[in-house]
Amino acid sequence: MATSGMRSVVRKGVNHFIGKQKPFVFIQSIQLSSLPNQLTFCPCVAFSSSAVLHSDVSVKYRHGLSVFAVPLPSRKESCEIVLKPVSHTVKDLVNFIKEEDKGIDRVAVYRANEVKVAGSTTIDILLRSPFTLTINEDTFNISPPEPEVTLPSETFERLTEVKSLTAKLYSQLNVEEYQLKRERDLIQQIEEYRLQIQPYLTKKTDMEKRIQSRNRQLMYIGSTLMGFQFGFFARLTWFEYSWDVMEPVTYFATYAAVMGMYAYFTVCAQEYNYVDAWDREFVNKFHKLAIKEGFNINEYNRLTELIEQCESDLRRLRDPLQVHLPIREL
């Protein structure tokens, strides 16, 4: 019991006589008889400017939910965070704490053996054994209470199966919405690719016209030379010489043409015909002209393939008989 009289009690004050405000200790005498008898004072107590008092982190269950009472360093107050044991994870706990106090830079959860707990760990798994919560530079040792209801591991497996079935059901019920969204995305991609390939198409059309004009000139020259050869041999056969003299000449001329076709097959690895010869000559001249004009053939081919792929996906998406078929079966 406190007796009447005067006692010295240490108090914290501010020195206003120095340029900088510094905490100091002064002695103030009070009358103990004016205080409640339950209070006890120690004359050796002192307050430091660097000392910060933090309340402990507590965890309890309320209506099947996990309630964390976490102290906020900036606000000097405790905040309750309610988490679902199965749905929420350690990552959710860290995010909730940071959202409540913007002055928190680091939040981490460790086991007793100083092993960090992954963010994907559920709250139910976390609360099965003691752990440590670190907020900035402060560390709190937490011993979780006994859960109100203990769910076996089979129950969590069933919950996982239910989640998977729910996701599949949602996917099936929203097929049309997904198709419309996918169709809009494909159309947007096609329009973007066509906008990128438009300068190449303009330049390619101009180059094709020039190459076709040159090929036609070569065809006209070849047909003219063949007609001139026919007239020359006819003149020599009926006017200058006889058929007996010109027959070996025509034979060697025909055999020379056969040798030329064989040489074409040796070089090109394909049989000589007029259509293939036209296409080959067109491709060779196109590549040479593209290098000269600075036409990027690889980029043009890439954009063309992307457009064709998008158009193929769009046709498949719009086909009612192939909507639900997997790609491999197509």
Side-chain angles (χ1 to χ4, degrees):
M1 179 179 293
T3 59
S4 62
M6 302 295 293
R7 288 288 183 89
S8 296
V9 180
V10 180
R11 292 292 183 84
K12 182 180 179 183
V14 179
N15 188 356
H16 297 281
F17 299 98
I18 305 177
K20 297 182 180 179
Q21 293 185 357
K22 297 183 178 179
F24 70 96
V25 178
F26 67 91
I27 306 300
Q28 181 180 357
S29 299
I30 60 174
Q31 186 72 23
L32 292 182
S33 60
S34 61
L35 297 177
N37 296 334
Q38 292 79 4
L39 298 179
T40 304
F41 297 89
C42 179
C44 61
V45 178
F47 293 86
S48 173
S49 60
S50 61
V52 181
L53 299 179
H54 293 280
S55 60
D56 295 334
V57 177
S58 62
V59 181
K60 59 183 178 180
Y61 290 97
R62 184 187 302 166
H63 305 295
L65 301 176
S66 304
V67 181
F68 287 73
V70 182
L72 303 179
S74 301
R75 300 182 181 180
K76 307 296 183 182
E77 61 183 6
S78 181
C79 177
E80 284 191 352
I81 299 177
V82 182
L83 298 173
K84 299 177 182 179
V86 179
S87 301
H88 286 152
T89 60
V90 174
K91 184 178 180 181
D92 297 326
L93 174 62
V94 172
N95 293 335
F96 291 157
I97 295 175
K98 289 184 177 180
E99 288 178 359
E100 292 297 331
D101 192 344
K102 302 302 181 182
I104 297 177
D105 298 329
R106 179 176 179 270
V107 179
V109 180
Y110 297 89
R111 288 296 181 188
N113 54 358
E114 296 184 356
V115 176
K116 188 174 181 181
V117 181
S120 59
T121 305
T122 60
I123 299 300
D124 176 76
I125 302 298
L126 176 66
L127 296 180
R128 292 185 181 183
S129 60
F131 60 94
T132 301
L133 178 64
T134 302
I135 301 178
N136 288 347
E137 302 298 332
D138 302 324
T139 302
F140 306 94
N141 295 323
I142 303 174
S143 297
E146 293 294 331
E148 297 178 351
V149 179
T150 303
L151 297 178
S153 59
E154 293 81 3
T155 304
F156 290 100
E157 293 178 359
R158 293 293 301 275
L159 289 175
T160 304
E161 294 178 359
V162 170
K163 288 182 180 180
S164 177
L165 292 176
T166 304
K168 291 181 180 180
L169 180 61
Y170 179 82
S171 176
Q172 293 294 333
L173 294 177
N174 292 271
V175 169
E176 296 182 358
E177 181 180 356
Y178 171 77
Q179 290 176 357
L180 294 176
K181 182 178 180 302
R182 180 60 178 166
E183 182 177 356
R184 290 194 297 267
D185 294 341
L186 289 174
I187 294 175
Q188 184 178 1
Q189 292 179 4
I190 292 174
E191 292 177 353
E192 181 179 357
Y193 293 146
R194 286 179 177 175
L195 184 63
Q196 296 178 9
I197 204 175
Q198 184 61 37
Y200 293 96
L201 292 176
T202 303
K203 199 168 187 179
K204 176 175 174 291
T205 302
D206 180 65
M207 293 169 59
E208 287 178 348
K209 290 181 179 180
R210 293 161 60 183
I211 294 173
Q212 289 177 358
S213 177
R214 294 178 183 178
N215 283 352
R216 288 195 183 94
Q217 292 178 1
L218 292 177
M219 291 180 63
Y220 293 151
I221 293 174
S223 60
T224 302
L225 291 177
M226 291 177 65
F228 176 79
Q229 181 185 9
F230 176 81
F232 179 72
F233 285 171
R235 172 73 182 184
L236 294 178
T237 301
W238 283 294
F239 295 94
E240 303 296 336
Y241 304 104
S242 64
W243 176 253
D244 295 334
V245 176
M246 293 303 301
E247 184 178 4
V249 177
T250 56
Y251 169 78
F252 284 108
T254 305
Y255 190 75
V258 174
M259 291 177 61
M261 294 180 182
Y262 183 78
Y264 178 87
F265 176 79
T266 304
V267 175
C268 303
Q270 62 181 4
E271 184 181 359
Y272 175 82
N273 58 71
Y274 297 112
V275 177
D276 294 340
W278 170 277
D279 295 338
R280 179 178 176 80
E281 185 67 19
F282 180 88
V283 172
N284 290 335
K285 289 185 178 179
F286 185 87
H287 279 268
K288 292 180 181 179
L289 188 60
I291 296 175
K292 182 179 179 180
E293 298 290 338
F295 184 85
N296 193 344
I297 298 178
N298 295 329
E299 181 66 14
Y300 172 79
N301 292 335
R302 186 185 71 86
L303 294 175
T304 304
E305 292 176 357
L306 290 175
I307 293 175
E308 292 178 354
Q309 181 65 34
C310 292
E311 291 178 348
S312 177
D313 295 342
L314 187 61
R315 288 193 300 269
R316 179 181 179 276
L317 188 64
R318 290 175 175 177
D319 191 348
L321 298 179
Q322 298 179 356
V323 168
H324 301 288
L325 295 180
I327 297 179
R328 292 182 180 179
E329 295 184 7
L330 294 178

